[in-house]
Amino acid sequence: MRMLTQLAICAFLSTLFSVSANAGSVFLTGHDPDFHAHDSIGARNINTTALDYILDPLHNDIVAGGTSKFLYVESFVPTPSGHRIGSVGLVSSGYALGTDFEKHDATTLGAELDLLGTKYAGLVVGSDFGGLLTQAELNIMNARTSDIFDFLNIKNGGLFAMSESGHGAGLTIGGWFGFMPFVVSSVPASQSEVGTTVTAFGASLGLTNADVSSNFSHNIFDGAAGLNVVDTDSLGRILSLAGRGEFDPGTGLSTVPLPASAFLLLASLGGIGVLARRHPGSPSGRRRRL
């Protein structure tokens, strides 16, 4: 009976702490790998690294539950000069349209956002240059900030968003990354990725300097907001950010969870320790007789 009680308490504590151990995952970048993945191995590596990060089943509860499909946000407008269809870049990166992801524009996006956490484990926002994100899609997501944060913080989903700048054909005009309101981004002139460097954190994800130095970038981030810097340009400005935890719309990443394995270990030890103190046969549980 005591052993069953001990196991029950450990199981309860493990469940309790494993929930708090997981958290939403976010990867934001000033690169436009949906555009360059058509013909660039480096851009494909950025896509797969970011998607592996936000869809990691050790942290994404929806993936752990059996659903790994992601929602890709991009318009179906005719492709302007200098742009490409971003979904083709994702296919070039190894993801199957219809199986691994669905593409939706402003006409259907609202209804699909309702399915974050059930149908979709990840939200992927295409670039506005060289991809085809338009202001119509951006406005819808900016109006659904609270739902996106619930998806991250409560359902432990993942978000990957690419460059937003208004460059190129001017498909967007403002409100960039407004669905992540803690982010402050600047829009310098589009820059060739010369001298771009991954940080130790970026390298830990599997990215190399060659991956982030082979194409172009279109926005920078003015601060980390608690996230990890993934790579910087030749002037040391932030090009990509990533992080896991509880996200606050005003301040960014507010808490960083321990790995789930650490929580499970602590939970189990905690349960055993409590029982040991109460076990009448243990030294700590035995009452002293005066």
Side-chain angles (χ1 to χ4, degrees):
M1 179 63 70
R2 293 190 184 104
M3 179 61 69
L4 290 175
T5 303
Q6 175 177 327
L7 291 174
I9 292 177
C10 289
F12 169 76
L13 290 171
S14 297
T15 301
L16 176 65
F17 283 107
S18 65
V19 170
S20 60
N22 290 341
S25 302
V26 168
F27 193 109
L28 308 174
T29 184
H31 302 282
D32 55 336
D34 53 349
F35 174 96
H36 292 287
H38 291 235
D39 47 26
S40 166
I41 293 175
R44 293 171 193 163
N45 289 342
I46 294 175
N47 283 332
T48 57
T49 298
L51 282 161
D52 285 348
Y53 185 78
I54 71 162
L55 298 176
D56 184 345
L58 293 178
H59 300 276
N60 188 312
D61 285 354
I62 306 106
V63 177
T67 300
S68 60
K69 181 179 284 189
F70 60 89
L71 168 61
Y72 177 63
V73 181
E74 184 186 43
S75 74
F76 288 92
V77 298
T79 309
S81 176
H83 291 246
R84 288 172 172 171
I85 300 172
S87 59
V88 176
L90 292 181
V91 172
S92 298
S93 300
Y95 302 95
L97 179 61
T99 302
D100 297 317
F101 72 98
E102 291 187 14
K103 171 179 170 176
H104 289 273
D105 69 353
T107 62
T108 54
L109 180 57
E112 296 303 314
L113 289 174
D114 291 337
L115 302 176
L116 291 175
T118 53
K119 181 179 180 181
Y120 301 112
L123 172 62
V124 179
V125 184
S127 67
D128 62 358
F129 181 61
L132 298 178
L133 179 75
T134 71
Q135 194 69 41
E137 290 82 38
L138 187 55
N139 288 343
I140 290 171
M141 289 185 295
N142 290 353
R144 297 287 296 271
T145 296
S146 60
D147 295 325
I148 292 173
F149 274 78
D150 284 347
F151 170 60
L152 294 171
N153 292 334
I154 298 175
K155 298 179 181 178
N156 299 324
L159 182 146
F160 169 32
M162 302 175 226
S163 65
E164 298 176 13
S165 65
H167 289 157
L171 299 183
T172 65
I173 59 174
W176 300 306
F177 298 101
F179 48 89
M180 294 277 101
F182 59 82
V183 170
V184 179
S185 66
S186 296
V187 184
S190 295
Q191 59 179 329
S192 177
E193 296 169 356
V194 176
T196 308
T197 306
V198 296
T199 63
F201 176 81
S204 76
L205 299 181
L207 289 172
T208 67
N209 289 345
D211 293 331
V212 298
S213 296
S214 54
N215 300 294
F216 284 82
S217 62
H218 305 287
N219 74 266
I220 60 174
F221 298 100
D222 296 342
L227 283 77
N228 302 288
V229 177
V230 175
D231 64 324
T232 58
D233 67 10
S234 60
L235 299 177
R237 301 177 299 185
I238 300 170
L239 284 179
S240 304
L241 294 164
R244 291 192 178 103
E246 297 293 325
F247 291 90
D248 181 270
T251 59
L253 185 60
S254 56
T255 60
V256 180
L258 288 173
S261 58
F263 271 99
L264 292 176
L265 177 61
L266 289 172
S268 299
L269 291 175
I272 292 171
V274 168
L275 287 168
R277 287 192 296 273
R278 293 181 178 178
H279 196 296
S282 67
S284 59
R286 191 181 302 120
R287 294 184 179 180
R288 293 182 180 180
R289 294 183 180 179
L290 299 178

